[in-house]
């Protein structure tokens, strides 16, 4: 191999400039909730949770609050980095700004968003708990709106979205969170699963029909390991906890949702063999955080929140992260949990690595 070839090989590997070996994706679109929101909720006013618009949210890496529900980058940011795509601009800022065009993708995710429409929660009498009404349906509407400004004919659209990656979720976790936090029983919440999974699957279908060729659909995290759940459902009954100190029943619930979602995606693959429908196992990718936290450099364990107002898991509902009476830890990189509900940048990086190296995506991303 001569030096010129060697040089170009390096250019190809280390930059996105080389056209003969193109990077796999040149655009990324994201829909979902606070696990993926890079600023839509904040831009929509964040009336129900203004603290995410100020420090310590965003203190790591960005050094200012961006609307991300963490100290730093999210899974979607690490995926963008991997494919040398700029961090996804939030849709609501694109709509207002003439500068941002979304040529490398757009983020439609909104913190607090649900897979089911807000109407469902109002009918159940728990609508007042919602952070936002920008549910999955709203986000799909935004996508269609955005698409109509990009292309018109099928051929034109297919060309535009040819190397796009669609991240559909995580979404659905909040549908359950709202119900759990209001004291609805596990058995009753289980009855929501078919509708939540149905709504995610319908969204996947719609995106494929709109031109998506590669779609990542994540399942839910082990919610029984989150400080908010551990605090709210704390019990003296030792048999309620697994070997990592997580709540068994709540983790089992996440597994149940994930199993149903996987079944539903399998059916969808038969219906749309031309699309690559990838299941992302957030549960599996996060498991090591809770199982061997210290081995991963999380010296302060995985269950305690870095930012909070005290209590056994440093989650105090009356003094949640960002509110009076709470404070952030010195070194978030030694924690998996950021605020009792969301994970730290370190934890999200770990999960993203597990997805991107193919261990927790099937088929591999
Ligand atoms: C959602 O919509 C309902 C009904 O239109 C409204 O009363 C409520 O304030 C909205 N909630 C949020 C968080 O915007
Ligand atoms: C997948 O996980 C295994 C076991 O944790 C690890 O040894 C392996 O390196 C991982 N695969 C990749 C491609 O990183």
């Amino acid at each position: 191999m001569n030096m010129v070839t060697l040089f170009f090989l390096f250019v190809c590997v280390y930059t996105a400039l080389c056209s003969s070996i193109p990077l796999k994706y040149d655009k990324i679109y994201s829909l979902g909730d606070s696990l993926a929101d890079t600023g839509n909720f904040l831009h929509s006013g964040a009336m129900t949770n203004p603290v995410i618009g100020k420090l310590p949210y965003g203190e790591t890496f960005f050094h200012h609050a961006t609307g991300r529900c963490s100290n730093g980058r999210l899974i979607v940011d690490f995926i963008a980095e991997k494919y040398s795509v700029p961090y996804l601009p939030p849709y609501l800022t694109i709509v207002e700004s003439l500068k941002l065009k979304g040529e490398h993708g757009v983020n439609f995710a909104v913190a607090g968003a649900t897979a089911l429409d807000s109407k469902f929660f109002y009918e159940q009498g728990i609508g007042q708990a919602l952070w936002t009404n920008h549910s999955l349906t709203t986000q799909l509407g935004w996508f269609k709106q955005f698409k109509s400004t990009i292309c018109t004919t099928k051929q034109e659209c297919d060309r535009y979205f040819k190397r796009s990656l669609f991240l559909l979720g995580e979404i659905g976790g909040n549908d359950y969170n709202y119900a759990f936090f209001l004291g609805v029983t596990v058995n009753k919440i289980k009855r929501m699963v078919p509708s939540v999974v149905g709504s995610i699957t319908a969204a996947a279908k719609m995106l494929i029909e709109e031109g998506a060729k590669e779609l990542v659909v994540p399942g839910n995290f082990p919610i029984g390991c989150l400080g908010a759940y551990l605090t709210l459902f704390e019990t003296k009954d030792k048999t309620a906890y697994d070997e990592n100190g997580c709540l068994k029943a709540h983790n089992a619930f996440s597994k149940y949702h994930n199993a149903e979602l996987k079944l539903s995606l399998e059916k969808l693959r038969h219906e749309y063999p031309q699309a690559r429908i990838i299941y992302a196992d957030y549960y599996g990718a996060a498991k090591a955080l809770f199982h061997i936290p210290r081995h991963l450099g999380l010296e302060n364990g995985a269950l305690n929140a870095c930012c909070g107002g005290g209590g056994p898991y440093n989650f105090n509902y009356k003094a949640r992260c960002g509110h009076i009476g709470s404070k952030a830890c010195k070194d978030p990189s030694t924690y998996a949990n950021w605020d009792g509900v969301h994970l730290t940048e370190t934890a999200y990086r770990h999960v993203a690595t597990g997805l991107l190296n193919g261990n927790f995506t099937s088929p591999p991303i």
Side-chain angles (χ1 to χ4, degrees), residues 87 89-90 92-103 146:
Y87 298 131
L92 294 179
T93 63
I94 289 192
V95 169
E96 275 182 22
S97 154
L98 294 170
K99 250 182 19 241
L100 288 167
K101 297 231 161 37
E103 58 264 70
F146 170 79

Side-chain angles (χ1 to χ4, degrees), residues 48-331:
T48 47
N49 201 9
V51 296
I52 70 151
K54 45 179 210 169
L55 293 169
Y57 283 89
E59 67 173 15
T60 307
F61 191 77
F62 297 104
H63 308 299
H64 66 96
T66 60
R68 285 168 177 79
C69 290
S70 182
N71 59 310
R73 285 164 288 181
L74 310 178
I75 296 168
V76 61
D77 296 313
F78 291 114
I79 295 177
E81 284 182 9
K82 159 87 176 189
Y83 297 107
S84 303
V85 170
Y87 298 131
L88 306 189
Y91 175 71
L92 294 179
T93 63
I94 289 192
V95 169
E96 275 182 22
S97 154
L98 294 170
K99 250 182 19 241
L100 288 167
K101 297 231 161 37
E103 58 264 70
H104 294 289
V106 182
N107 198 340
F108 302 95
V110 184
T114 48
L116 300 174
D117 291 348
S118 56
K119 187 166 154 275
F120 169 85
F121 299 92
Y122 280 97
E123 279 166 7
Q124 302 291 311
I126 55 175
Q128 76 288 351
L130 298 179
W131 281 23
T132 180
N133 288 332
H134 298 316
S135 66
L136 191 50
T137 307
T138 305
Q139 296 176 29
L140 288 167
W142 289 348
F143 172 72
K144 283 193 185 172
Q145 185 65 37
F146 170 79
K147 191 186 153 188
S148 72
T149 68
I150 295 293
C151 58
T152 40
T153 67
K154 182 170 178 337
Q155 199 183 17
E156 202 185 345
C157 295
D158 279 354
R159 195 173 339 115
Y160 188 84
F161 293 112
K162 199 172 63 183
R163 289 200 286 129
S164 298
L165 178 66
F166 287 79
L167 302 174
L168 174 54
E170 175 278 328
I171 186 83
N174 285 325
D175 298 63
Y176 309 132
N177 289 341
Y178 290 126
F180 274 118
F181 294 160
L182 286 171
V184 182
T185 64
V186 177
N187 279 337
K188 227 172 147 189
I189 298 175
K190 256 187 153 172
R191 278 185 241 137
M192 287 169 67
V193 173
S195 337
V196 170
V197 167
S199 162
I200 300 169
T201 309
K205 212 165 160 154
M206 200 210 96
L207 288 173
I208 293 167
E209 288 186 349
E210 292 287 331
K213 295 273 180 296
E214 302 231 1
L215 197 68
V216 173
V217 188
N220 207 349
F221 274 131
I223 57 173
C225 302
L226 301 178
Y229 276 86
L230 286 160
T231 303
L232 203 64
F233 298 101
E234 193 176 17
T235 165
K236 292 207 163 58
D237 176 10
K238 287 203 168 60
T239 66
Y241 297 92
D242 68 13
E243 76 277 18
N244 304 322
C246 303
L247 290 159
K248 284 186 203 164
H250 296 87
N251 278 357
F253 179 83
S254 286
K255 280 190 184 166
Y256 175 69
H257 163 85
N258 293 347
E260 293 295 306
L261 179 60
K262 275 196 274 187
L263 279 177
S264 186
L265 294 180
E266 190 48 41
K267 281 190 208 138
L268 204 60
R269 288 187 189 106
H270 290 294
E271 217 176 310
Y272 297 97
Q274 79 282 12
R276 246 177 127 244
I277 302 168
I278 300 166
Y279 173 71
D281 182 10
Y282 277 21
Y283 191 109
K287 212 171 156 199
L289 295 170
F290 304 105
H291 195 54
I292 45 164
R294 282 165 186 87
H295 185 82
L296 300 173
L298 304 166
E299 289 145 37
N300 286 294
L303 305 183
N304 291 338
C306 159
C307 181
Y313 302 96
N314 196 26
F315 179 85
N316 174 355
Y317 190 79
K318 295 204 178 85
R320 282 165 291 149
C321 179
H323 290 87
I324 293 166
S326 76
K327 67 180 200 312
C329 65
K330 274 215 177 66
D331 185 1

